[in-house]
Amino acid sequence: MILPTGKLDSDLLKQIVFDKITYRSDDVRVRPGIGEDCALIDFGDYDCVMSTDPISSTVSDIGRLAIHITCNDIASNGIQPLGIMLACMLPEGTTDEDVAEIMDQAATAAADVGVEIIGGHTEITPSVKQPLIVSTAIGKAPAGTSQSGNDMEPGDFIMVTKSVGLEGTGIMACDHEEEIRDAKAEDGERLITDEEIAGAKAMLDLVSVVPEGVTAGKVGTHGMHDITEGGVLGAIWEMCQISRTGAEVWEEAVPIRPETEKICGLFDVDPLRLISSGSMIIIVPKTKRAEMEDAMKKAGVDASIIGIIKEESEGICMARHTLTCGSGGMGRIRVKIDPPYADEIYKTYKSSEQGE
């Protein structure tokens, strides 16, 4: 069977990856699983938290994104990352200026986050057609203090920070700028302005969730998940697998910036299924909603309540407003949220290839 582009779907990932891992160490406290971004290793008085991820869907800002993608995973445990390693696979034809630019980006992003680049590997190889970076971040926390989605329970609130689709919008604006700039409305006017393109590109400056992750960890959560491939709906679905709960997401409450809506519309991309580093899902205990909202405000982080955790028997659904037939009023329907599949960002590359 030839597999589609993007992450393996959850069932296949379990069958051909997770189920193949048979050896277990007594020092490993959290192991691979659907919705688990980090491994947790027992270091006595401390837990060592580790995560690894690739950057493969973009060339623009790859050095910067390679830092943020795994540091965000560490932050989803409520922990400040302390070290990161980068394995850089670069295509033939790469220049020393290219490598210098990637490392300038990575070094600047690492300094902004407060994480040290402690090692890695760099090589030119014919095995790749564009730069590929795999980053591995580590953090440490007093034993037992890491946040876990296992604590989710019905009645908890689902909070999302900033707005969804930040990373995906920024990637599309950088990698497909000419196509976006040339897009016209029916009246012949440009669909997306220069100011909107600049605003979309600037979203890549917002992809770190370390501030909100560390802030939320101090308040106390029932789990967090940075929103990467599969978007906000994929992230919520994965979290519900950890805790064996259901969820109701209120579609109208999900924050989406106008630039994201316009660019997603151009490429027929669903922003709720779009890679969204820069946004964090925080499961807020029902008794801590006011405290969490106050903490986010003090940290300067926009945050929205977009849903609630339900019993597993109620399923994982999105509530959507719709016109009620005959009455002219608005009703609400519940639409099932499916497991995450190939991220919507890959549609944009197929679209560009077909247009060449």
Side-chain angles (χ1 to χ4, degrees):
M1 177 178 65
I2 296 176
L3 302 176
T5 301
K7 294 198 303 185
L8 295 183
D9 72 56
S10 300
D11 289 339
L12 194 61
L13 182 64
K14 182 179 183 303
Q15 292 170 14
I16 67 175
V17 179
F18 294 158
D19 288 352
K20 301 294 183 183
I21 303 170
T22 56
Y23 177 75
R24 297 287 185 265
S25 169
D26 293 338
D27 293 322
V28 178
R29 294 183 53 214
V30 176
R31 295 183 167 85
I34 305 301
E36 288 288 1
D37 289 328
C38 299
L40 212 65
I41 304 170
D42 184 354
F43 273 30
D45 292 338
Y46 288 91
D47 288 332
C48 175
V49 186
M50 301 184 67
S51 181
T52 190
D53 262 314
I55 291 290
S56 60
S57 62
T58 182
V59 175
S60 303
D61 284 321
I62 189 170
R64 174 167 47 168
L65 293 176
I67 296 293
H68 289 308
I69 190 170
T70 42
C71 286
N72 285 353
D73 285 344
I74 303 299
S76 71
N77 284 50
I79 295 166
Q80 172 70 39
L82 62 85
I84 191 165
M85 306 181 79
L86 304 174
C88 304
M89 306 292 118
L90 306 173
E92 293 178 322
T94 297
T95 66
D96 56 344
E97 290 89 354
D98 294 332
V99 178
E101 181 180 356
I102 290 171
M103 286 311 303
D104 282 342
Q105 292 177 12
T108 300
D112 290 343
V113 172
V115 63
E116 182 174 348
I117 300 175
I118 57 175
H121 175 82
T122 305
E123 72 171 75
I124 311 299
T125 172
S127 297
V128 298
K129 296 180 180 179
Q130 68 179 42
L132 167 67
I133 300 180
V134 178
S135 63
T136 301
I138 56 177
K140 72 172 184 177
T145 62
S146 178
Q147 310 293 296
S148 173
N150 285 315
D151 298 327
M152 289 166 58
E153 57 186 36
D156 289 345
F157 292 102
I158 304 170
M159 174 181 279
V160 67
T161 64
K162 305 190 188 83
S163 60
V164 301
L166 290 174
E167 182 184 6
T169 305
I171 289 172
M172 287 188 285
C174 288
D175 288 358
H176 307 297
E177 181 175 357
E178 184 176 345
E179 185 175 352
I180 294 170
R181 193 178 301 279
D182 290 343
K184 299 290 193 299
E186 289 184 3
D187 60 4
E189 293 295 317
R190 281 184 56 183
L191 201 61
I192 302 168
T193 66
D194 288 338
E195 291 76 14
E196 289 169 327
I197 293 172
K201 286 182 174 182
M203 292 183 190
L204 292 177
D205 295 328
L206 305 174
V207 296
S208 174
V209 294
V210 172
E212 52 257 55
V214 173
T215 296
K218 292 175 181 176
V219 175
T221 77
H222 280 173
M224 291 184 273
H225 196 337
D226 68 311
I227 308 174
T228 53
E229 286 199 29
V232 62
L233 298 185
I236 291 170
W237 186 91
E238 289 180 347
M239 292 196 78
C240 289
Q241 305 314 299
I242 299 173
S243 56
R244 298 194 176 189
T245 57
E248 181 177 282
V249 179
W250 307 319
E251 184 180 38
E252 73 279 3
V254 180
I256 306 175
R257 285 175 49 168
E259 300 97 322
T260 296
E261 290 185 325
K262 284 191 174 184
I263 292 176
C264 284
L266 177 62
F267 290 101
D268 192 27
V269 162
D270 182 354
L272 302 186
R273 291 284 187 179
L274 178 63
I275 186 167
S276 297
S277 291
S279 302
M280 177 83 89
I281 291 291
I282 302 172
I283 305 301
V284 183
K286 48 182 175 267
T287 59
K288 293 188 175 183
R289 174 174 177 170
E291 183 182 359
M292 187 68 76
E293 289 177 329
D294 184 59
M296 288 296 152
K297 183 179 292 186
K298 289 179 179 177
V301 176
D302 291 333
S304 308
I305 299 295
I306 65 165
I308 195 166
I309 299 301
K310 297 277 195 175
E311 296 285 353
E312 184 178 21
S313 60
E314 296 187 59
I316 307 169
C317 298
M318 180 167 63
R320 171 179 290 163
H321 282 315
T322 184
L323 286 173
T324 303
C325 292
S327 69
M330 296 293 290
R332 179 178 277 191
I333 59 171
R334 298 179 83 237
V335 180
K336 180 184 175 184
I337 296 175
D338 292 323
Y341 45 82
D343 193 90
E344 293 281 290
I345 191 72
Y346 295 110
K347 286 183 179 180
T348 70
Y349 296 102
K350 292 176 183 176
S351 173
S352 296
E353 288 166 4
Q354 289 167 357
E356 290 176 356

